[in-house]
Amino acid sequence: MNESPIIDQLTNCECCPRKCRVNRLDGQVGFCKVSAGMQISHIGLHFGEEPPVSGTRGSGTVFFAGCNLRCVFCQNYQISQEFRHTRTLTPDELACEMLRLQDEGAHNINFVSPSHMIFQMAESIRRAKHKGLSIPIVYNSNGYDSVDALRQIRGLVDIYLPDIKYLDNAIGQQFSAVRDYADSIPEVLREMLEQVGHLEMNAAGIAVRGILVRHLVLPGCLENSRRCLEVLADLSPDTFISIMSQYSPQHKACHYPLINRTLTQAEYDEITEYALDLGLENAFVQELESQEQCVPDFAQDRPFDFG
């Protein structure tokens, strides 16, 4: 992997705000528990993203294993924290998978949890584009990203699909083992918006460029949600947002009484109404029935087959 200068940055890794500074090329691992090799958990068409992303033909998703957060409620914990069902691909191999997804009709290539794999991802994108990849690239992250790393991949990403999880560092530390999420996320969102602008869709309503920000409403944490929405309104009232109601207590959430339940309709309505009060009218909302339907099983060949 040494032929690419951008990959060489893994010798003193600062891919994300944790700045572990380990030599991943030498097999060392930091908080994300991933060395230089691209560990992939699933590649395939996904129809469960927001309508402009999944469209009618599906989003070509690439799920990286590992993560730079430790969310106790993570619905993808099988791959983000337990590293089940993974395989390691080279940049050329991943480029071929991206071209396969394009041939299958994917509206885009959607990299899920790329923050700790940002430079390997970038190399794979370059190789795929050289071989004829032409559909948009989606950077689908938890929002705990390095602004410097994002600047280094400027021009490679068409659509940013970040979370805004916390504007309360105490909650972030308790539920995701991150001390400074609230400090870093505003600048991350500004950088993403500056790179790609507001969400743009074609005549069929499919996203082609821009930023769409997700916020998962946690039960009992409505003040955090209000503060997250305020940051988005300050960023721009025209920001497209996805207010997610799908929280259910997965993984280790049963050990945290505050979030060991699903969201109530009253809680969700309070947050969606607050978004409107702030002028955030470009919002996607969910039905509460999605709380159980949205939990994937990566032990299956089709982890999102909820039928």
Side-chain angles (χ1 to χ4, degrees), residues 63-279:
F63 282 81
F64 289 116
C67 187
N68 63 351
L69 297 182
R70 291 280 188 279
C71 299
V72 298
F73 52 83
C74 181
Q75 66 178 23
N76 293 349
Y77 69 91
Q78 293 170 310
I79 63 175
S80 67
Q81 299 181 40
E82 296 183 351
F83 290 85
R84 302 185 202 174
H85 325 294
T86 67
R87 55 184 170 134
T88 302
L89 299 184
T90 67
D92 279 325
E93 289 171 335
L94 182 52
C96 289
E97 291 284 355
M98 294 158 67
L99 292 166
R100 175 181 63 81
L101 290 169
Q102 178 173 264
D103 290 342
E104 291 179 1
H107 291 293
N108 47 63
I109 301 297
N110 182 352
F111 291 100
V112 183
S113 299
S115 307
H116 61 302
M117 302 295 293
I118 186 169
F119 296 126
Q120 299 96 315
M121 176 203 75
E123 181 63 20
S124 302
I125 294 170
R126 289 191 177 93
R127 297 188 186 198
K129 286 181 177 291
H130 182 71
K131 296 178 180 180
L133 186 73
S134 60
I135 54 178
I137 299 294
V138 180
Y139 186 93
N140 181 345
S141 84
N142 58 33
Y144 195 51
D145 289 291
S146 162
V147 172
D148 181 64
L150 292 174
R151 288 170 179 162
Q152 292 183 62
I153 66 164
R154 181 186 289 264
L156 289 179
V157 171
D158 303 287
I159 300 164
Y160 279 109
L161 189 59
D163 292 339
I164 180 169
K165 290 183 177 292
Y166 308 112
L167 255 293
D168 182 326
N169 281 329
I171 296 177
Q173 176 66 33
Q174 181 180 20
F175 296 149
S176 297
V178 58
R179 295 180 179 179
D180 60 347
Y181 188 100
D183 302 324
S184 67
I185 188 64
E187 187 178 1
V188 167
L189 296 177
R190 284 194 295 270
E191 175 63 27
M192 291 177 172
L193 178 60
E194 181 181 329
Q195 286 191 23
V196 297
H198 291 298
L199 194 67
E200 300 175 16
M201 291 169 275
N202 62 21
I206 306 301
V208 294
R209 186 173 176 81
I211 184 172
L212 169 58
V213 185
R214 290 169 163 168
H215 175 65
L216 176 65
V217 184
L218 298 177
C221 300
L222 299 194
E223 179 58 27
N224 176 65
S225 289
R226 284 190 286 268
R227 291 166 66 180
C228 287
L229 294 177
E230 288 164 5
V231 165
L232 294 177
D234 288 342
L235 181 70
S236 171
D238 296 325
T239 302
F240 279 76
I241 64 172
S242 177
I243 306 174
M244 299 186 294
S245 66
Q246 68 192 55
Y247 177 85
S248 62
Q250 302 296 320
H251 193 32
K252 299 178 180 179
C254 61
H255 302 301
Y256 298 82
L258 181 66
I259 57 171
N260 188 26
R261 63 175 176 85
T262 55
L263 196 68
T264 67
Q265 187 68 58
E267 287 175 315
Y268 187 65
D269 289 347
E270 181 174 338
I271 296 306
T272 55
E273 289 169 9
Y274 191 66
L276 293 175
D277 290 342
L278 291 171

Side-chain angles (χ1 to χ4, degrees), residues 39-56:
Q39 293 188 49
I40 308 292
S41 295
H42 176 71
I43 299 176
L45 295 175
H46 182 27
F47 295 86
E49 306 283 37
E50 287 78 6
V53 179
S54 285
T56 56

Side-chain angles (χ1 to χ4, degrees), residues 18-30:
R18 292 192 184 274
K19 296 184 178 180
C20 296
R21 297 188 175 93
V22 297
N23 186 346
R24 293 170 67 181
L25 287 175
D26 196 37
Q28 297 176 19
V29 299

